[in-house]
């Protein structure tokens, strides 16, 4: 009889211990959905030079060859926005050059951006420069183990005397230069 009581008491004690076991609580917590963790970056975090490729260049409807070893410079502003610059480059047999100088771009909580920017695309021909609005300036910064990758795209239509003289689209992908 003593043996039966001992076995019964042992089973009850073990049952109570299993119910309050910390590993049981961990199992319950793991069954709940896990939200994706996104680290919010500031303009100061992503400021720097990014070396990459203009992998899409379309001028007046004609696709051009990609341009490699292009540097996009990102600078932080005191109001939390950033500026994006690419120094003048030429595409194919184009008699002039194109530069990007997009200012006051707002970085969203998911590290992306999308906005129109006035006077962001500069065409220079015969030493005369004209700035045009960039529409749909979109992109994203992605943290990596050794910095950030950065991609962006923009479109512009430049008119001269009411005629669409310049219609351009570009896409850039690069990595932060250390």
């Amino acid at each position: 009889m003593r043996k039966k009581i001992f076995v019964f008491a042992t089973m009850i004690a073990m049952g109570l211990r299993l119910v309050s076991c910390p590993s049981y609580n961990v199992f319950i917590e793991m069954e709940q959905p896990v939200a994706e963790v996104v680290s919010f970056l500031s303009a100061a975090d992503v400021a720097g030079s990014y070396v990459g490729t203009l992998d899409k260049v379309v001028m007046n409807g004609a696709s051009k060859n990609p341009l490699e070893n292009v540097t996009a410079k990102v600078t932080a502003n005191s109001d939390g926005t950033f500026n994006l610059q690419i120094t003048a480059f030429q595409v194919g047999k184009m008699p002039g050059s194109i530069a990007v100088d997009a200012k006051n771009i707002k970085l969203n909580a998911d590290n992306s951006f999308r906005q129109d920017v006035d006077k962001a695309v500069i065409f220079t021909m015969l030493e005369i420069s004209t700035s045009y609005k960039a529409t749909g300036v979109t992109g994203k910064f992605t943290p990596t183990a050794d910095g950030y990758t950065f991609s962006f795209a923009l479109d512009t239509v430049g008119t001269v005397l009411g005629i669409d003289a310049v219609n351009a689209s570009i896409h850039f992908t690069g990595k932060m230069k250390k």
Side-chain angles (χ1 to χ4, degrees), residues 164-176:
D164 289 349
V166 178
N167 185 339
S169 298
I170 62 169
H171 182 270
F172 172 86
T173 302
K175 187 172 182 172
M176 184 181 266

Side-chain angles (χ1 to χ4, degrees), residues 114-161:
R114 179 175 180 76
Q115 70 187 65
D116 295 343
V117 181
D118 286 329
K119 299 181 180 180
V121 179
I122 304 149
F123 287 97
T124 303
M125 191 177 309
L126 302 174
E127 298 186 28
I128 298 172
S129 297
T130 307
S131 298
Y132 297 102
K133 180 178 188 171
T135 57
V137 180
T138 60
K140 185 164 185 145
F141 294 92
T142 305
T144 63
D146 59 347
Y148 302 100
T149 58
F150 172 48
S151 64
F152 80 91
L154 65 80
D155 299 311
T156 191
V157 175
T159 58
V160 177
L161 301 173

Side-chain angles (χ1 to χ4, degrees), residues 9-22:
T10 304
M11 289 175 65
I12 290 174
M14 288 178 66
L16 290 174
R17 182 177 175 142
L18 287 175
V19 169
S20 64
C21 178

